[in-house]
Amino acid sequence: MAGRNCYVVLCALFVVLIPICTIVALVMCGIFVAAPALQGLRMLPTECTVVSSGIVGGEVTCRCGGTKSNPCFSAFPCLQINVTYLTGSGGNLTSLLVDTQAIMGYARQCATRECSSSEIVNGLSVSSYKRSWGQEGMTYPCYYEDGNEREVSRTVINTSKWLVFHALFWPLLILVISYSLGYFFCVKCIRLEE
């Protein structure tokens, strides 16, 4: 009887608990690792020329860490850099520049999203970014995504087919192994009962 109870616990562990945790891990890896990497793989290289840049609107509020009971909030000025670039089909487009593809798609389109606990440091970082990348007439390599005419990215980070593979393969492998072991222990449990 004690052996059967052990198999029941193992059966529940490998059929319920581990798969639930693995599915959560798979979803998180898909959203936070695989999706940005796939977006980066779709980015195409081009040359951007700065048309204009400046601070627009009020400051953007951001969360700079902290704990759940004592969160840290800060703000940074929203720098927008307008650039022109050529697409692969020869079209000349004007879009907003962002630092990496990871910050594309925010409601407030800001070139950089510096968020330390000090608003002064954030302001200095944004000013430095403007001096480095936002001077009118500057030309440098950048990346665009076909179909997204709103934003171009100055750099592309975490873009690897292997990154996507590993983000999805390992959770799926654990899920398959867990269900296989769960099947084994559940069958063992049923046989002990007979």
Side-chain angles (χ1 to χ4, degrees):
M1 189 67 174
R4 183 184 179 281
N5 288 340
C6 180
Y7 286 123
V8 169
V9 169
L10 289 172
C11 178
L13 178 71
F14 285 109
V15 172
V16 179
L17 187 62
I18 292 176
I20 288 173
C21 294
T22 305
I23 290 169
V24 169
L26 183 64
V27 169
M28 300 293 283
C29 287
I31 292 170
F32 295 112
V33 178
L38 287 172
Q39 181 185 20
L41 289 169
R42 289 191 304 266
M43 304 292 279
L44 302 169
T46 188
E47 289 282 320
C48 285
T49 302
V50 178
V51 177
S52 64
S53 66
I55 305 297
V56 294
E59 291 196 329
V60 178
T61 303
C62 59
R63 184 163 182 170
C64 53
T67 62
K68 191 172 185 175
S69 60
N70 189 18
C72 171
F73 291 98
S74 188
F76 60 89
C78 184
L79 171 65
Q80 286 189 344
I81 301 174
N82 293 299
V83 296
T84 59
Y85 63 98
L86 287 173
T87 63
S89 60
N92 194 10
L93 297 174
T94 301
S95 297
L96 292 169
L97 179 81
V98 295
D99 191 43
T100 71
Q101 89 278 8
I103 61 172
M104 292 177 102
Y106 278 90
R108 290 278 305 270
Q109 294 173 307
C110 303
T112 184
R113 303 186 79 81
E114 297 295 329
C115 190
S116 73
S117 58
S118 170
E119 292 182 23
I120 294 170
V121 171
N122 294 341
L124 291 172
S125 295
V126 169
S127 296
S128 173
Y129 192 88
K130 182 178 180 183
R131 279 192 307 279
S132 299
W133 305 105
Q135 302 299 315
E136 289 182 30
M138 287 181 88
T139 300
Y140 42 79
C142 62
Y143 300 86
Y144 72 97
E145 184 179 16
D146 267 339
N148 180 4
E149 297 174 3
R150 292 177 42 202
E151 300 167 299
V152 295
S153 177
R154 188 181 65 79
T155 58
V156 177
I157 58 170
N158 297 333
T159 58
S160 163
K161 292 177 184 175
W162 285 109
L163 186 66
V164 175
F165 171 79
H166 286 292
L168 301 176
F169 173 76
W170 295 109
L172 285 173
L173 180 66
I174 292 169
L175 190 65
V176 169
I177 290 171
S178 175
Y179 276 130
S180 299
L181 289 172
Y183 174 78
F184 169 77
F185 288 121
C186 288
V187 167
K188 198 84 154 151
C189 183
I190 291 169
R191 285 188 182 153
L192 282 176
E193 192 172 86
E194 292 173 350

